[in-house]
Amino acid sequence: MPIKQLSLFVENRPGSLSAVCNVLKDNNLSIRTLSLADTQQFGILRLLLAEYEQARTVLEKAGFIVKVTDVLALEVPDRPGGLADILTILDKHQLSVEYMYAFTFGVADKAVIVFRFEDPHFAIEALQNEPIKLVKASELFR
Amino acid sequence: MSNFVVPNRIFDPEAECMPSGERVKMQIAGLRRTVEQAKKIPFYRRKFDKSGIAPESIKSLEDLQQLPFTTKQDLRDAYPFGFFAVPRAELARLHASSGTTGKPTFVGYTQKDLEIWSGLCARFLVAGGLTADQIVQVSFGYGLFTGGFGLHSGIERVGASVLPASSGNTQRQIMLLEDVKIDTLICTPSYALNLAENITAMGKKGKLALRYAHLGGEPWTEEMRLGIEEELGIRAFNNYGLSEIIGPGVSGECAVRCGMHIQEDQFMVECLNPETLEPVADGEQGELVITSLNKEACPIIRYRTRDLAYLDSSPCECGRTTKRMSRIRGRSDDMMIIRGVNVFPTQIEEALLRVDGTAPHFMIELTRPGNLDEAAIKVEIRPQDFSDKMEAMHKMRDRIGREVTAITGLHFNIELVEPNTLERFTGKAKRVFDNRKLND
Ligand SMILES: [Zn+2]
């Protein structure tokens, strides 16, 4: 079960991130986590939030270019080698990672890593018999 | 050191100092000759037939105003040789100017045209200090561009020696200037500034034999001249020309340096209001419109240069009796001259079309942070251009850059910007923001 991620194009200049955040704030929408991939001139802002459809609508209305992408949230044990074990499994299934970012939430000894695979549904199938827990949207945004 | 007095010398006193009454007679005869020669070109023949123009219609210089205009687009439409008035066998040389969509505009010269042209270049070179005992480094590109070969033949005509260094490789240019003890340098003004800066950085300031520079091929300012003369300890002269007319040699400065003397025995230069196409008064800015008086291969009538300048008919201390024109102060169209290369916004649009079939909003920004032009294109991202993957975004940006370079031959920095951030204009879009400050 993929999670819906919003990606936004932002210029690398003062105020461009706060413009996004203010639109969300004005609509009472809260961000679960975010990651920014940036270059000298522009960046791609990736957001996870519960009401992604509403967020998309208000952001587009505000003039932003928004793309909805399926990503997978994988639970990673918060111990040495936790991530290495997961990556080994991904390699075994030849799942190449477009990009990833990590965050911690709720549970004390667990972290979540968000993975962007080329084909998330293929990844779900490949991982279903592996000892990896896919975090559901309902858990992530609880 | 840069304040030394340049001797007032005149290469062709008969032509340059002709009494004005005599010149008018020559010009009328030249206009008739040009109409006669232009009849061999279908574009002009059609226009003459339609309005009943024949060589005999030209009775005074005012009759020039009956003749049709020629635009760059007319020349393009006749690609490749539709504006040639002589058979191929009579051509002695071909040059070309950069085109907007990859196709250049060809210009041809007969042997006689080449002789006239080299004489015109000799006139402004001598006016600006060239003598037969000097060695001249030509750092203009040699090739289709008229600058390199035009100046080359002019120098030979004066009897001086040419070092055809061509453009590029600044370190080697400076080595040649130093080791050959070059007297006179030919290049674009921005390249002269660039050379000056490098010469200073290499600790060679004041150690060169260089005394004169003849700069052209792009607009420049009095401030740039001061900088070049100060840094290099030389006298720098301005000259003007364009390949559609002949190349360099349409006009050039004398030792007095109060405008560029127009070679009026060869060209009629009108200064018109670009909107109404009515003549403007002396000292008033307008578009230069040029007619050739003696050209055989490519006679040209009332060519709209799109260059803005003003004319000055007051007498000059140097003794020449010709009218002078100011520096080029701008363009009446949206052509840009970037590092000496002509670029139109439509070329950028075409490059963007090649990437995606429909062109996004874009804006061109020109700056001159040091001495060399920097050009950037800001491109507004559209939903279909956007990917959440950085690699895809980089690929798109690089593709735009490659297409732009393929069409213009120049490197542009490509900046992707958020939608609706570029200013919108009602009517004609303003695509170019030139922050190089050429008219101060
Ligand atoms: Zn003069």
Side-chain angles (χ1 to χ4, degrees), chain A residues 7-11 13 37 39 41 46 63 65 69 98-99 116 118, chain B residues 381-383 386-390 393-394 397 415-419 421:
Chain A
S7 305
L8 277 84
F9 179 86
V10 286
E11 278 174 56
R13 58 173 157 77
T39 67
Q41 194 254 315
R46 296 155 186 153
I65 288 186
T69 317
E98 301 284 351
Y99 56 82
R116 164 74 155 98
E118 186 59 57
Chain B
I381 285 290
R382 298 164 301 178
F386 180 53
S387 163
D388 63 312
K389 293 184 248 172
M390 193 52 98
M393 297 303 287
H394 281 159
R397 186 193 58 193
E415 292 177 19
L416 304 179
V417 302
E418 289 171 18
T421 50

PDB file of all heavy atoms in Angstrom, chain A residues 7-11 13 37 39 41 46 63 65 69 98-99 116 118, chain B residues 381-383 386-390 393-394 397 415-419 421:
ATOM      1  N   SER A   7       5.095  16.324  -4.468  1.00  0.00           N
ATOM      2  CA  SER A   7       6.377  16.940  -4.834  1.00  0.00           C
ATOM      3  C   SER A   7       6.091  18.304  -5.409  1.00  0.00           C
ATOM      4  O   SER A   7       5.173  18.468  -6.204  1.00  0.00           O
ATOM      5  CB  SER A   7       7.108  16.100  -5.881  1.00  0.00           C
ATOM      6  OG  SER A   7       7.263  14.787  -5.407  1.00  0.00           O
ATOM      7  N   LEU A   8       6.889  19.275  -5.017  1.00  0.00           N
ATOM      8  CA  LEU A   8       6.701  20.652  -5.500  1.00  0.00           C
ATOM      9  C   LEU A   8       7.999  21.182  -6.069  1.00  0.00           C
ATOM     10  O   LEU A   8       9.079  20.913  -5.536  1.00  0.00           O
ATOM     11  CB  LEU A   8       6.307  21.581  -4.344  1.00  0.00           C
ATOM     12  CG  LEU A   8       4.849  21.635  -3.930  1.00  0.00           C
ATOM     13  CD1 LEU A   8       4.543  20.517  -2.969  1.00  0.00           C
ATOM     14  CD2 LEU A   8       4.561  22.981  -3.297  1.00  0.00           C
ATOM     15  N   PHE A   9       7.863  21.971  -7.122  1.00  0.00           N
ATOM     16  CA  PHE A   9       9.023  22.663  -7.660  1.00  0.00           C
ATOM     17  C   PHE A   9       9.186  23.977  -6.912  1.00  0.00           C
ATOM     18  O   PHE A   9       8.254  24.771  -6.824  1.00  0.00           O
ATOM     19  CB  PHE A   9       8.827  22.936  -9.157  1.00  0.00           C
ATOM     20  CG  PHE A   9       9.972  23.677  -9.775  1.00  0.00           C
ATOM     21  CD1 PHE A   9      11.076  22.982 -10.241  1.00  0.00           C
ATOM     22  CD2 PHE A   9       9.949  25.054  -9.869  1.00  0.00           C
ATOM     23  CE1 PHE A   9      12.147  23.670 -10.802  1.00  0.00           C
ATOM     24  CE2 PHE A   9      11.020  25.749 -10.421  1.00  0.00           C
ATOM     25  CZ  PHE A   9      12.112  25.052 -10.890  1.00  0.00           C
ATOM     26  N   VAL A  10      10.358  24.186  -6.338  1.00  0.00           N
ATOM     27  CA  VAL A  10      10.608  25.467  -5.659  1.00  0.00           C
ATOM     28  C   VAL A  10      11.928  26.053  -6.136  1.00  0.00           C
ATOM     29  O   VAL A  10      12.891  25.339  -6.365  1.00  0.00           O
ATOM     30  CB  VAL A  10      10.656  25.330  -4.114  1.00  0.00           C
ATOM     31  CG1 VAL A  10       9.267  25.127  -3.553  1.00  0.00           C
ATOM     32  CG2 VAL A  10      11.586  24.218  -3.676  1.00  0.00           C
ATOM     33  N   GLU A  11      11.946  27.363  -6.292  1.00  0.00           N
ATOM     34  CA  GLU A  11      13.202  28.024  -6.634  1.00  0.00           C
ATOM     35  C   GLU A  11      14.029  28.172  -5.381  1.00  0.00           C
ATOM     36  O   GLU A  11      13.499  28.309  -4.287  1.00  0.00           O
ATOM     37  CB  GLU A  11      12.920  29.417  -7.213  1.00  0.00           C
ATOM     38  CG  GLU A  11      12.573  29.395  -8.669  1.00  0.00           C
ATOM     39  CD  GLU A  11      12.174  30.782  -9.130  1.00  0.00           C
ATOM     40  OE1 GLU A  11      12.971  31.715  -8.952  1.00  0.00           O
ATOM     41  OE2 GLU A  11      11.053  30.921  -9.650  1.00  0.00           O
ATOM     42  N   ARG A  13      15.455  30.363  -3.464  1.00  0.00           N
ATOM     43  CA  ARG A  13      15.576  31.782  -3.110  1.00  0.00           C
ATOM     44  C   ARG A  13      14.849  32.003  -1.797  1.00  0.00           C
ATOM     45  O   ARG A  13      13.960  31.226  -1.426  1.00  0.00           O
ATOM     46  CB  ARG A  13      15.005  32.679  -4.213  1.00  0.00           C
ATOM     47  CG  ARG A  13      13.555  32.410  -4.522  1.00  0.00           C
ATOM     48  CD  ARG A  13      13.001  33.434  -5.493  1.00  0.00           C
ATOM     49  NE  ARG A  13      11.840  32.927  -6.214  1.00  0.00           N
ATOM     50  CZ  ARG A  13      10.612  32.836  -5.707  1.00  0.00           C
ATOM     51  NH1 ARG A  13      10.378  33.203  -4.459  1.00  0.00           N
ATOM     52  NH2 ARG A  13       9.617  32.358  -6.420  1.00  0.00           N
ATOM     53  N   ALA A  37      15.276  18.238  -1.916  1.00  0.00           N
ATOM     54  CA  ALA A  37      16.448  17.967  -2.747  1.00  0.00           C
ATOM     55  C   ALA A  37      16.737  19.269  -3.462  1.00  0.00           C
ATOM     56  O   ALA A  37      15.884  19.768  -4.183  1.00  0.00           O
ATOM     57  CB  ALA A  37      16.125  16.872  -3.757  1.00  0.00           C
ATOM     58  N   THR A  39      19.403  22.171  -5.568  1.00  0.00           N
ATOM     59  CA  THR A  39      20.597  22.515  -6.323  1.00  0.00           C
ATOM     60  C   THR A  39      20.811  23.991  -6.070  1.00  0.00           C
ATOM     61  O   THR A  39      20.030  24.615  -5.350  1.00  0.00           O
ATOM     62  CB  THR A  39      20.372  22.305  -7.834  1.00  0.00           C
ATOM     63  OG1 THR A  39      19.408  23.256  -8.275  1.00  0.00           O
ATOM     64  CG2 THR A  39      19.869  20.915  -8.137  1.00  0.00           C
ATOM     65  N   GLN A  41      20.178  26.367  -7.894  1.00  0.00           N
ATOM     66  CA  GLN A  41      19.174  27.262  -8.468  1.00  0.00           C
ATOM     67  C   GLN A  41      17.737  26.883  -8.136  1.00  0.00           C
ATOM     68  O   GLN A  41      16.887  27.740  -8.004  1.00  0.00           O
ATOM     69  CB  GLN A  41      19.398  27.318  -9.985  1.00  0.00           C
ATOM     70  CG  GLN A  41      18.653  28.445 -10.677  1.00  0.00           C
ATOM     71  CD  GLN A  41      17.475  27.915 -11.457  1.00  0.00           C
ATOM     72  OE1 GLN A  41      17.593  26.920 -12.162  1.00  0.00           O
ATOM     73  NE2 GLN A  41      16.322  28.552 -11.296  1.00  0.00           N
ATOM     74  N   ARG A  46       9.550  17.568  -1.175  1.00  0.00           N
ATOM     75  CA  ARG A  46       8.672  16.393  -1.083  1.00  0.00           C
ATOM     76  C   ARG A  46       7.994  16.397   0.278  1.00  0.00           C
ATOM     77  O   ARG A  46       8.655  16.533   1.298  1.00  0.00           O
ATOM     78  CB  ARG A  46       9.494  15.122  -1.278  1.00  0.00           C
ATOM     79  CG  ARG A  46      10.094  15.055  -2.682  1.00  0.00           C
ATOM     80  CD  ARG A  46      11.333  14.215  -2.727  1.00  0.00           C
ATOM     81  NE  ARG A  46      11.961  14.286  -4.060  1.00  0.00           N
ATOM     82  CZ  ARG A  46      13.246  14.113  -4.268  1.00  0.00           C
ATOM     83  NH1 ARG A  46      14.064  13.862  -3.261  1.00  0.00           N
ATOM     84  NH2 ARG A  46      13.729  14.197  -5.487  1.00  0.00           N
ATOM     85  N   GLY A  63      -0.669  28.492  -7.160  1.00  0.00           N
ATOM     86  CA  GLY A  63       0.264  28.661  -8.275  1.00  0.00           C
ATOM     87  C   GLY A  63       1.443  27.703  -8.301  1.00  0.00           C
ATOM     88  O   GLY A  63       2.304  27.804  -9.162  1.00  0.00           O
ATOM     89  N   ILE A  65       3.445  24.085  -8.781  1.00  0.00           N
ATOM     90  CA  ILE A  65       3.324  22.871  -9.565  1.00  0.00           C
ATOM     91  C   ILE A  65       3.489  21.699  -8.607  1.00  0.00           C
ATOM     92  O   ILE A  65       4.495  21.591  -7.897  1.00  0.00           O
ATOM     93  CB  ILE A  65       4.371  22.825 -10.679  1.00  0.00           C
ATOM     94  CG1 ILE A  65       3.973  23.836 -11.743  1.00  0.00           C
ATOM     95  CG2 ILE A  65       4.467  21.442 -11.281  1.00  0.00           C
ATOM     96  CD1 ILE A  65       4.832  23.812 -12.955  1.00  0.00           C
ATOM     97  N   THR A  69       3.003  11.423  -6.080  1.00  0.00           N
ATOM     98  CA  THR A  69       3.804  10.244  -6.408  1.00  0.00           C
ATOM     99  C   THR A  69       3.573   9.182  -5.347  1.00  0.00           C
ATOM    100  O   THR A  69       3.439   9.497  -4.167  1.00  0.00           O
ATOM    101  CB  THR A  69       5.314  10.597  -6.392  1.00  0.00           C
ATOM    102  OG1 THR A  69       5.494  11.844  -7.039  1.00  0.00           O
ATOM    103  CG2 THR A  69       6.123   9.529  -7.085  1.00  0.00           C
ATOM    104  N   GLU A  98      15.109   5.425  -6.409  1.00  0.00           N
ATOM    105  CA  GLU A  98      15.265   6.732  -7.061  1.00  0.00           C
ATOM    106  C   GLU A  98      15.760   7.763  -6.052  1.00  0.00           C
ATOM    107  O   GLU A  98      16.641   8.542  -6.336  1.00  0.00           O
ATOM    108  CB  GLU A  98      13.930   7.198  -7.649  1.00  0.00           C
ATOM    109  CG  GLU A  98      13.320   6.255  -8.682  1.00  0.00           C
ATOM    110  CD  GLU A  98      14.012   6.345 -10.037  1.00  0.00           C
ATOM    111  OE1 GLU A  98      14.844   7.249 -10.221  1.00  0.00           O
ATOM    112  OE2 GLU A  98      13.720   5.507 -10.910  1.00  0.00           O
ATOM    113  N   TYR A  99      15.118   7.755  -4.891  1.00  0.00           N
ATOM    114  CA  TYR A  99      15.591   8.571  -3.777  1.00  0.00           C
ATOM    115  C   TYR A  99      14.931   8.074  -2.510  1.00  0.00           C
ATOM    116  O   TYR A  99      13.988   7.277  -2.552  1.00  0.00           O
ATOM    117  CB  TYR A  99      15.317  10.064  -3.987  1.00  0.00           C
ATOM    118  CG  TYR A  99      13.872  10.425  -4.234  1.00  0.00           C
ATOM    119  CD1 TYR A  99      12.959  10.568  -3.177  1.00  0.00           C
ATOM    120  CD2 TYR A  99      13.413  10.649  -5.532  1.00  0.00           C
ATOM    121  CE1 TYR A  99      11.634  10.902  -3.418  1.00  0.00           C
ATOM    122  CE2 TYR A  99      12.093  10.992  -5.779  1.00  0.00           C
ATOM    123  CZ  TYR A  99      11.204  11.106  -4.719  1.00  0.00           C
ATOM    124  OH  TYR A  99       9.912  11.441  -4.955  1.00  0.00           O
ATOM    125  N   ARG A 116      11.394   5.968  -2.839  1.00  0.00           N
ATOM    126  CA  ARG A 116      10.749   6.182  -4.128  1.00  0.00           C
ATOM    127  C   ARG A 116      11.346   5.144  -5.090  1.00  0.00           C
ATOM    128  O   ARG A 116      12.529   5.198  -5.415  1.00  0.00           O
ATOM    129  CB  ARG A 116      11.038   7.594  -4.627  1.00  0.00           C
ATOM    130  CG  ARG A 116      10.765   7.828  -6.113  1.00  0.00           C
ATOM    131  CD  ARG A 116       9.269   7.902  -6.414  1.00  0.00           C
ATOM    132  NE  ARG A 116       9.031   8.675  -7.639  1.00  0.00           N
ATOM    133  CZ  ARG A 116       8.824   8.120  -8.837  1.00  0.00           C
ATOM    134  NH1 ARG A 116       8.828   6.802  -8.973  1.00  0.00           N
ATOM    135  NH2 ARG A 116       8.620   8.892  -9.886  1.00  0.00           N
ATOM    136  N   GLU A 118      10.951   3.098  -8.863  1.00  0.00           N
ATOM    137  CA  GLU A 118      10.413   3.365 -10.189  1.00  0.00           C
ATOM    138  C   GLU A 118       8.984   2.813 -10.279  1.00  0.00           C
ATOM    139  O   GLU A 118       8.070   3.482 -10.726  1.00  0.00           O
ATOM    140  CB  GLU A 118      11.324   2.736 -11.249  1.00  0.00           C
ATOM    141  CG  GLU A 118      10.953   3.066 -12.687  1.00  0.00           C
ATOM    142  CD  GLU A 118      10.974   4.567 -12.988  1.00  0.00           C
ATOM    143  OE1 GLU A 118      12.036   5.175 -12.768  1.00  0.00           O
ATOM    144  OE2 GLU A 118       9.940   5.122 -13.436  1.00  0.00           O
TER     145      GLU A 118
ATOM    146  N   ILE B 381       8.669  26.620 -15.354  1.00  0.00           N
ATOM    147  CA  ILE B 381       8.306  25.211 -15.318  1.00  0.00           C
ATOM    148  C   ILE B 381       6.795  25.064 -15.500  1.00  0.00           C
ATOM    149  O   ILE B 381       6.024  25.846 -14.964  1.00  0.00           O
ATOM    150  CB  ILE B 381       8.713  24.649 -13.934  1.00  0.00           C
ATOM    151  CG1 ILE B 381      10.212  24.475 -13.889  1.00  0.00           C
ATOM    152  CG2 ILE B 381       8.027  23.370 -13.610  1.00  0.00           C
ATOM    153  CD1 ILE B 381      10.674  23.365 -14.770  1.00  0.00           C
ATOM    154  N   ARG B 382       6.397  24.072 -16.280  1.00  0.00           N
ATOM    155  CA  ARG B 382       4.972  23.755 -16.427  1.00  0.00           C
ATOM    156  C   ARG B 382       4.723  22.374 -15.833  1.00  0.00           C
ATOM    157  O   ARG B 382       5.677  21.591 -15.692  1.00  0.00           O
ATOM    158  CB  ARG B 382       4.588  23.756 -17.904  1.00  0.00           C
ATOM    159  CG  ARG B 382       4.775  25.109 -18.575  1.00  0.00           C
ATOM    160  CD  ARG B 382       4.756  24.975 -20.073  1.00  0.00           C
ATOM    161  NE  ARG B 382       5.821  24.075 -20.527  1.00  0.00           N
ATOM    162  CZ  ARG B 382       6.011  23.738 -21.799  1.00  0.00           C
ATOM    163  NH1 ARG B 382       5.215  24.197 -22.717  1.00  0.00           N
ATOM    164  NH2 ARG B 382       7.000  22.935 -22.121  1.00  0.00           N
ATOM    165  N   PRO B 383       3.469  22.042 -15.506  1.00  0.00           N
ATOM    166  CA  PRO B 383       3.212  20.738 -14.885  1.00  0.00           C
ATOM    167  C   PRO B 383       3.835  19.580 -15.674  1.00  0.00           C
ATOM    168  O   PRO B 383       4.424  18.671 -15.088  1.00  0.00           O
ATOM    169  CB  PRO B 383       1.684  20.650 -14.872  1.00  0.00           C
ATOM    170  CG  PRO B 383       1.232  22.068 -14.799  1.00  0.00           C
ATOM    171  CD  PRO B 383       2.251  22.865 -15.579  1.00  0.00           C
ATOM    172  N   PHE B 386       7.553  18.927 -15.000  1.00  0.00           N
ATOM    173  CA  PHE B 386       8.025  18.681 -13.653  1.00  0.00           C
ATOM    174  C   PHE B 386       8.089  17.198 -13.316  1.00  0.00           C
ATOM    175  O   PHE B 386       7.192  16.438 -13.648  1.00  0.00           O
ATOM    176  CB  PHE B 386       7.106  19.406 -12.658  1.00  0.00           C
ATOM    177  CG  PHE B 386       7.521  19.218 -11.230  1.00  0.00           C
ATOM    178  CD1 PHE B 386       8.825  19.502 -10.823  1.00  0.00           C
ATOM    179  CD2 PHE B 386       6.625  18.737 -10.284  1.00  0.00           C
ATOM    180  CE1 PHE B 386       9.210  19.330  -9.507  1.00  0.00           C
ATOM    181  CE2 PHE B 386       7.005  18.564  -8.962  1.00  0.00           C
ATOM    182  CZ  PHE B 386       8.299  18.856  -8.571  1.00  0.00           C
ATOM    183  N   SER B 387       9.175  16.816 -12.682  1.00  0.00           N
ATOM    184  CA  SER B 387       9.322  15.448 -12.194  1.00  0.00           C
ATOM    185  C   SER B 387       9.769  15.534 -10.747  1.00  0.00           C
ATOM    186  O   SER B 387      10.450  16.489 -10.362  1.00  0.00           O
ATOM    187  CB  SER B 387      10.372  14.713 -13.019  1.00  0.00           C
ATOM    188  OG  SER B 387      10.782  13.555 -12.330  1.00  0.00           O
ATOM    189  N   ASP B 388       9.397  14.551  -9.953  1.00  0.00           N
ATOM    190  CA  ASP B 388       9.875  14.540  -8.563  1.00  0.00           C
ATOM    191  C   ASP B 388      11.313  14.041  -8.491  1.00  0.00           C
ATOM    192  O   ASP B 388      11.910  14.022  -7.427  1.00  0.00           O
ATOM    193  CB  ASP B 388       8.957  13.675  -7.689  1.00  0.00           C
ATOM    194  CG  ASP B 388       8.968  12.227  -8.129  1.00  0.00           C
ATOM    195  OD1 ASP B 388       8.829  11.963  -9.343  1.00  0.00           O
ATOM    196  OD2 ASP B 388       9.136  11.348  -7.265  1.00  0.00           O
ATOM    197  N   LYS B 389      11.854  13.604  -9.633  1.00  0.00           N
ATOM    198  CA  LYS B 389      13.241  13.104  -9.652  1.00  0.00           C
ATOM    199  C   LYS B 389      14.198  14.183 -10.132  1.00  0.00           C
ATOM    200  O   LYS B 389      14.018  14.752 -11.205  1.00  0.00           O
ATOM    201  CB  LYS B 389      13.345  11.891 -10.579  1.00  0.00           C
ATOM    202  CG  LYS B 389      12.578  10.681 -10.052  1.00  0.00           C
ATOM    203  CD  LYS B 389      12.801   9.491 -10.939  1.00  0.00           C
ATOM    204  CE  LYS B 389      11.529   9.119 -11.650  1.00  0.00           C
ATOM    205  NZ  LYS B 389      11.748   8.081 -12.653  1.00  0.00           N
ATOM    206  N   MET B 390      15.206  14.446  -9.334  1.00  0.00           N
ATOM    207  CA  MET B 390      16.166  15.492  -9.658  1.00  0.00           C
ATOM    208  C   MET B 390      16.872  15.220 -10.980  1.00  0.00           C
ATOM    209  O   MET B 390      17.124  16.122 -11.773  1.00  0.00           O
ATOM    210  CB  MET B 390      17.176  15.588  -8.509  1.00  0.00           C
ATOM    211  CG  MET B 390      18.036  16.812  -8.548  1.00  0.00           C
ATOM    212  SD  MET B 390      17.097  18.347  -8.703  1.00  0.00           S
ATOM    213  CE  MET B 390      17.021  18.900  -7.016  1.00  0.00           C
ATOM    214  N   MET B 393      14.971  16.394 -13.894  1.00  0.00           N
ATOM    215  CA  MET B 393      14.973  17.853 -14.014  1.00  0.00           C
ATOM    216  C   MET B 393      16.291  18.340 -14.613  1.00  0.00           C
ATOM    217  O   MET B 393      16.316  19.234 -15.452  1.00  0.00           O
ATOM    218  CB  MET B 393      14.766  18.497 -12.634  1.00  0.00           C
ATOM    219  CG  MET B 393      13.429  18.183 -11.991  1.00  0.00           C
ATOM    220  SD  MET B 393      12.036  18.652 -13.024  1.00  0.00           S
ATOM    221  CE  MET B 393      12.088  20.425 -12.865  1.00  0.00           C
ATOM    222  N   HIS B 394      17.386  17.745 -14.163  1.00  0.00           N
ATOM    223  CA  HIS B 394      18.690  18.119 -14.711  1.00  0.00           C
ATOM    224  C   HIS B 394      18.769  17.785 -16.198  1.00  0.00           C
ATOM    225  O   HIS B 394      19.294  18.560 -16.991  1.00  0.00           O
ATOM    226  CB  HIS B 394      19.816  17.403 -13.960  1.00  0.00           C
ATOM    227  CG  HIS B 394      20.111  18.055 -12.650  1.00  0.00           C
ATOM    228  ND1 HIS B 394      20.741  17.403 -11.620  1.00  0.00           N
ATOM    229  CD2 HIS B 394      19.849  19.303 -12.194  1.00  0.00           C
ATOM    230  CE1 HIS B 394      20.859  18.223 -10.587  1.00  0.00           C
ATOM    231  NE2 HIS B 394      20.318  19.372 -10.915  1.00  0.00           N
ATOM    232  N   ARG B 397      16.881  20.408 -18.138  1.00  0.00           N
ATOM    233  CA  ARG B 397      17.617  21.683 -18.178  1.00  0.00           C
ATOM    234  C   ARG B 397      18.798  21.592 -19.158  1.00  0.00           C
ATOM    235  O   ARG B 397      19.021  22.492 -19.972  1.00  0.00           O
ATOM    236  CB  ARG B 397      18.125  22.021 -16.771  1.00  0.00           C
ATOM    237  CG  ARG B 397      18.777  23.371 -16.679  1.00  0.00           C
ATOM    238  CD  ARG B 397      19.535  23.528 -15.385  1.00  0.00           C
ATOM    239  NE  ARG B 397      20.539  22.476 -15.264  1.00  0.00           N
ATOM    240  CZ  ARG B 397      21.191  22.194 -14.138  1.00  0.00           C
ATOM    241  NH1 ARG B 397      20.915  22.844 -13.034  1.00  0.00           N
ATOM    242  NH2 ARG B 397      22.089  21.235 -14.111  1.00  0.00           N
ATOM    243  N   GLU B 415      18.049  28.657 -16.298  1.00  0.00           N
ATOM    244  CA  GLU B 415      17.493  28.672 -14.943  1.00  0.00           C
ATOM    245  C   GLU B 415      16.025  28.285 -15.003  1.00  0.00           C
ATOM    246  O   GLU B 415      15.251  28.888 -15.741  1.00  0.00           O
ATOM    247  CB  GLU B 415      17.610  30.077 -14.329  1.00  0.00           C
ATOM    248  CG  GLU B 415      19.038  30.480 -14.067  1.00  0.00           C
ATOM    249  CD  GLU B 415      19.129  31.910 -13.530  1.00  0.00           C
ATOM    250  OE1 GLU B 415      18.103  32.438 -13.036  1.00  0.00           O
ATOM    251  OE2 GLU B 415      20.216  32.485 -13.634  1.00  0.00           O
ATOM    252  N   LEU B 416      15.653  27.274 -14.225  1.00  0.00           N
ATOM    253  CA  LEU B 416      14.254  26.866 -14.172  1.00  0.00           C
ATOM    254  C   LEU B 416      13.582  27.664 -13.062  1.00  0.00           C
ATOM    255  O   LEU B 416      14.094  27.729 -11.951  1.00  0.00           O
ATOM    256  CB  LEU B 416      14.163  25.365 -13.890  1.00  0.00           C
ATOM    257  CG  LEU B 416      14.917  24.474 -14.887  1.00  0.00           C
ATOM    258  CD1 LEU B 416      14.794  23.003 -14.499  1.00  0.00           C
ATOM    259  CD2 LEU B 416      14.400  24.682 -16.303  1.00  0.00           C
ATOM    260  N   VAL B 417      12.461  28.279 -13.382  1.00  0.00           N
ATOM    261  CA  VAL B 417      11.783  29.099 -12.371  1.00  0.00           C
ATOM    262  C   VAL B 417      10.331  28.659 -12.177  1.00  0.00           C
ATOM    263  O   VAL B 417       9.764  27.957 -13.013  1.00  0.00           O
ATOM    264  CB  VAL B 417      11.833  30.614 -12.712  1.00  0.00           C
ATOM    265  CG1 VAL B 417      13.265  31.088 -12.858  1.00  0.00           C
ATOM    266  CG2 VAL B 417      11.039  30.908 -13.976  1.00  0.00           C
ATOM    267  N   GLU B 418       9.760  29.078 -11.054  1.00  0.00           N
ATOM    268  CA  GLU B 418       8.390  28.695 -10.719  1.00  0.00           C
ATOM    269  C   GLU B 418       7.396  29.312 -11.705  1.00  0.00           C
ATOM    270  O   GLU B 418       7.679  30.357 -12.275  1.00  0.00           O
ATOM    271  CB  GLU B 418       8.058  29.157  -9.291  1.00  0.00           C
ATOM    272  CG  GLU B 418       8.790  28.347  -8.235  1.00  0.00           C
ATOM    273  CD  GLU B 418       8.633  28.952  -6.830  1.00  0.00           C
ATOM    274  OE1 GLU B 418       7.720  29.766  -6.626  1.00  0.00           O
ATOM    275  OE2 GLU B 418       9.450  28.596  -5.962  1.00  0.00           O
ATOM    276  N   PRO B 419       6.251  28.660 -11.866  1.00  0.00           N
ATOM    277  CA  PRO B 419       5.265  29.189 -12.824  1.00  0.00           C
ATOM    278  C   PRO B 419       4.786  30.583 -12.421  1.00  0.00           C
ATOM    279  O   PRO B 419       4.769  30.923 -11.232  1.00  0.00           O
ATOM    280  CB  PRO B 419       4.114  28.185 -12.763  1.00  0.00           C
ATOM    281  CG  PRO B 419       4.384  27.298 -11.619  1.00  0.00           C
ATOM    282  CD  PRO B 419       5.821  27.410 -11.265  1.00  0.00           C
ATOM    283  N   THR B 421       6.055  33.417 -12.487  1.00  0.00           N
ATOM    284  CA  THR B 421       6.958  34.348 -11.812  1.00  0.00           C
ATOM    285  C   THR B 421       7.563  35.334 -12.791  1.00  0.00           C
ATOM    286  O   THR B 421       8.056  36.374 -12.394  1.00  0.00           O
ATOM    287  CB  THR B 421       8.095  33.608 -11.076  1.00  0.00           C
ATOM    288  OG1 THR B 421       8.702  32.674 -11.985  1.00  0.00           O
ATOM    289  CG2 THR B 421       7.568  32.867  -9.877  1.00  0.00           C
TER     290      THR B 421
END
